[in-house]
Amino acid sequence: MTKKILVIDDDAAIRMVIVETLKRDRYDVREAATIAEAREMLGRSMPDLLVTDVVLPDGNGLDLLPVVLAKRPELPVIVVSAQNTLTTAIRATERGAFEYLPKPFDLDELRRAVREGLARDAGGVEAAADDELPLIGRSPAMQDVYRVVARIAPTDLTVLILGESGTGKELVARALHDFGARRGKAFVAINMAAVPRDAIEAELFGQERAGFAGGTRFPGRFEQAAGGTLFLDEIGDMPLEAQTRLLRVLETGEYSSAGGRLRKVDVRVIAATHQDLPRAIAEGRFREDLYYRLNVVPLALPPLRAREGDVTLLAQHFLDRASDGGSPRKTLEDAAGKRLGEHDWPGNVRELENLMRRLAAVTRDRTITADDIEAQLAIRSTEGEIAAPSLEGRVEAWLRDHFRRSGDMLPPPGLYERLLAEVDAAVLRTTLAAVRGNQLRAAAILGINRNTLRKRLTELGIAPKG
Ligand SMILES: Nc1ncnc2c1ncn2[C@@H]1O[C@H](COP(=O)(O)OP(=O)(O)OP(=O)(O)O)[C@@H](O)[C@H]1O
């Protein structure tokens, strides 16, 4: 029997294209331009699938969803919208839409969605939507991200977020938590690159130390995240032994915590990295089986330079945020927006955020010009070394962050030794890599005796190459 489809869109041109495309696919297609018209048609007979726009002259298309789904809970609904925000994507999914297509969309994609919609039973998902947008950007590249986020937020699937540094991996992990069933529970983040390698297992799974008054117990991050989400940032930096333990936990769903108690894991794991994990696997630095466990849903964040039109949107967002403290709101002149669009943004959104914060602070006028931008970008490139903090500054920042992340608990004892070993290992590894494993040259560059170098390499468990 010919399937019936109702298309609701107030834009006659778009409606015609949709209707004609679907008619060609031999569906029985009806159309409506307003909610009132749609209601009347739905009152007469229910279609097998509904395609609706969001903004209609007499209301919000999404408001129709609960009404029609109350009548036919399994009715597949495809929402098409030019309001290309994460909130729209989430709202559409939340109200039971089967698919959300941001405008402009590809007609083949619509045809695919219609085919899939008619072939399945619809199932509603619940998620909270917030008016405060967690992610800024309306580029097609970000639309793909929103659609995946909207689809997987309500699930408990493990997600691997990939993307260059500063692309918003942590923000997306948070959005997955905030829009999912675990919102309201803990969101615990741990950065593998910011914890000394030999302290990672204790950080994750806890530790018990004998001592005064029966010892101290450090609950691990898994325990802290119970019922909620655990965000493992820079997973590519996780040492192999910790990887093995994490894999076992993910496989068995339990682990023995501090004090040897067996605990069930009720945690959604979201991991992220800017590293090329297949390459890390090839180099023996990352476990292939763990990769497949984590990579259940891969979510790739596009670099800022690939997000057409988003740079100015984000720039204005950061300017507005800078004026939240009461200082006057600044805006970008058109040429300034254009100049921002030409920059390559190797540091992605974080680089843009820092630049806008500086511009908000240093410019006098309310309008930021292309020259202002040029001047700040020039400072950045010529003062690269000045902009990058000294090693001492970096260590300090790292430590402050480390203490902050430990929260009320202090890091496990032995920090000084762990730190020095960490620095030592980094110095030796990078120097050796720079001279392709030639220990004689490495020792000469470092200004230490070759035997001392060998001994230290053995102590630190760094395999000599060649
Ligand atoms: N789409 C976005 N909208 C608004 N702010 C964003 C967006 N993406 C990133 N940001 C902001 O940019 C900064 C960097 O984001 P975040 O820390 O999530 O990046 P990351 O990919 O985790 O970086 P790294 O790999 O260096 O840890 C944060 O201040 C974040 O709030």
Side-chain angles (χ1 to χ4, degrees), residues 135-136 165-171 233-234 314 349-350 353:
L135 290 157
I136 308 291
S165 183
T167 45
K169 297 188 288 295
E170 175 148 10
L171 211 58
D233 203 358
E234 303 298 359
L314 278 159
V349 186
R350 182 176 297 111
E353 184 175 12

Side-chain angles (χ1 to χ4, degrees), residues 121-173:
D121 286 335
V125 279
E126 53 154 316
D130 195 333
D131 282 327
E132 167 78 7
L133 284 180
L135 290 157
I136 308 291
R138 294 175 175 214
S139 57
M142 285 308 282
Q143 293 307 317
D144 290 341
V145 171
Y146 298 158
R147 288 172 57 202
V148 180
V149 169
R151 246 194 229 156
I152 62 179
T155 72
D156 254 353
L157 294 173
T158 304
V159 183
L160 179 61
I161 306 175
L162 303 165
E164 292 178 13
S165 183
T167 45
K169 297 188 288 295
E170 175 148 10
L171 211 58
V172 167

Side-chain angles (χ1 to χ4, degrees), residues 160-167 169 191-194 197 232-239 243 271-287 291 295 299-300 429:
L160 179 61
I161 306 175
L162 303 165
E164 292 178 13
S165 183
T167 45
K169 297 188 288 295
N191 186 331
M192 298 303 151
R197 296 174 76 77
L232 304 173
D233 203 358
E234 303 298 359
I235 189 87
D237 286 308
M238 195 181 226
Q243 287 179 31
T273 182
H274 66 273
Q275 291 195 28
D276 178 357
L277 286 184
R279 191 170 138 198
I281 293 168
E283 290 171 1
R285 288 184 288 117
F286 204 84
R287 287 188 66 125
Y291 173 67
N295 202 20
L299 182 50
R429 224 183 272 123

